[in-house]
Amino acid sequence: MPELPVPRRPSGELEAEVLAALWAAGRPLTPQDVQQAVTGDLARTTVATILGRLHEKGTVLRTRVGRAYAYTPAVQDTAGLAARRMRTELDREPDRSTVLARFVSDLSADDERLLRELLADPAGEETA
Amino acid sequence: MIVAVWAPLLLPLLAVPAARLLAGWLPPRTAAWMLAGTAVLLAGAATASLGLLATAGLLRLPAVAALGHLSLPWLDRISPSAGPLAAAAALALGSVAALLLRSATRHRRELSSARDLAHSASGTPDGLAVLPDDRADAYALPGRPGRIVVTAGMLRALGTEERCALLAHERAHLGARHHLFLAAAEYAAAAHPALRLLRAPLSYHLERWADEAAAAAVGSRAVTARAVARAALAAAAPRPAPGHRPGLAPAAHTGPVPRRVAALLSPGPAQPSGRRTVVALLLTACLCTSAGTALDATSDLHQTVESAQSAGAAPAHSR
């Protein structure tokens, strides 16, 4: 059967996306929920396989809900503390984006207003 | 010492503004390479110049002159002011070394605490580390293998497709080894103060490069733009309501994030190709002159040493 050439993504990318979806949800997700919370058309079985693999590694926890499993990310107790400690450490540095390429930098009040306008208008007026 | 030795110390004052101007007219990948290359080349030439000035003074020390069989009177006659100049150059070299050391220590400290943090976080071993932190933050952590570090707060702030764009953006950073560009610019800035002005545009163009890669990966510029905008708003520290904000924000004051969003939403403004060529030629001339004069000054110093040696040897023969 001829299929559209869907670019195959490496399994590491899929695992990352599934884990990100679990964290974003903030509640236990069944494989069916996860399937809807990731991009692309992943087969149910693919999602189940990825979740199984993450569970084996101890990255996610699962509980039985009815006939299916529901998954949540496993949180290390020390990680939250370490995150806060590093944040205060980094906040002390005068300009902190020297080593790590951060996704977003600080905003001025005007930047913030501009971004809210751009988000409200998806067509993107020539504001900048 | 010939005048050529001064060119690499003065040319950054012209080359850096030219490079900043040119970067705005180039695609992100080209701009990033151009900025990093400019920084490294100018830093190398400036450091070489300082080294040459200091060495020229070193030859005046009686012990060094005796060791190299150099004629001190001849050296004093050929360039009487070399001594004080060399002292200044040696001071400058010392401060360059101190700045380099400070940058390197800071890099190592920041990287190792970021690695500890990613290690303690939950995540997939070969890609993603999620920090259980409500504040929104995300960055690419270089290493073997590199990892994407993102907070739970950031993941919750984004929609499904936007999360995908964020991950693709960070993967682009890691894949193209952008941390090496950042490090090169950081270390180059130690060599000449003017080179510090290249860091901000370089980091902007690296972000643009990763934004474009993310837009290609998720197949939508609009989704990527939304991801950047939402992430920035989520990450912005809550601030008191601005009381004295100007009515209209001038474009020059617009920060890097709105410019990235605008570039994704309305790509391809008209390129001023004529001016671009002129500035590119000017920059190329600066870089060639910088490298050329540094080499020229090196061979000049070499000749000076040889002449001073023959001048030192000559009186012995004549007597």
Side-chain angles (χ1 to χ4, degrees), chain B residues 8-58:
Chain B
L9 296 175
L10 296 173
L11 276 171
L13 301 177
L14 185 61
V16 166
R20 283 169 58 104
L21 197 59
L22 184 62
W25 298 330
L26 293 175
R29 182 194 297 251
T30 322
W33 276 106
M34 183 274 290
L35 289 166
T38 300
V40 169
L41 199 147
L42 291 176
T47 311
S49 277
L50 289 178
L52 290 171
L53 284 169
T55 311
L58 207 62

Side-chain angles (χ1 to χ4, degrees), chain A residues 9 11-13 15-17 19-26 36-39 54 57 59 73-76 78-80 82-87 89-91 93-116 118-119 121-126 128, chain B residues 106-107 109-111 113-114 117 120-126 128 130 132-133 135 137-142 151-152 154-156 160-161 163-164 166-167 169-171 173 179 182 186 207 226-233 235-236 239 242 245-246 249 253-258 260-262 265-266:
Chain A
R9 289 183 288 173
S11 67
E13 280 187 28
E15 282 182 16
E17 212 188 318
L19 183 64
L22 287 175
W23 272 97
Q36 281 159 8
V38 296
T39 57
L54 289 174
K57 290 175 188 165
T59 309
V75 186
Q76 261 77 25
T78 51
R84 276 191 293 279
R85 204 180 52 222
M86 171 161 175
R87 195 174 273 293
E89 217 166 275
L90 286 179
D91 284 348
E93 297 285 351
D95 68 320
R96 54 182 199 147
S97 58
T98 50
V99 206
L100 303 170
R102 289 198 128 74
F103 188 46
V104 287
S105 46
D106 290 338
L107 298 180
S108 69
D110 286 322
D111 288 350
E112 208 171 317
R113 187 168 46 90
L114 210 54
L115 284 182
R116 290 197 195 285
L118 285 169
L119 273 183
D121 173 22
E125 278 180 8
E126 293 280 326
Chain B
R106 207 170 91 174
H107 272 199
R109 200 180 56 228
E110 278 188 35
L111 271 184
S113 67
L117 184 56
S120 73
S122 87
T124 60
D126 56 340
L128 181 68
V130 185
D133 189 339
R135 285 169 68 173
D137 197 5
Y139 48 88
L141 181 60
T151 61
M154 178 65 89
L155 291 174
R156 281 198 290 269
T160 301
E161 287 180 304
R163 280 200 305 273
C164 208
L166 161 67
L167 295 178
H169 173 105
E170 300 301 345
R171 266 196 292 273
H173 278 321
H179 64 283
L182 290 172
E186 179 75 15
E207 294 306 321
R226 219 162 48 229
V228 173
R230 255 193 238 293
L233 287 173
R239 70 181 86 245
R245 140 183 121 192
H253 288 183
T254 307
V257 173
R260 280 165 62 194
V261 174
L265 290 177
S266 51

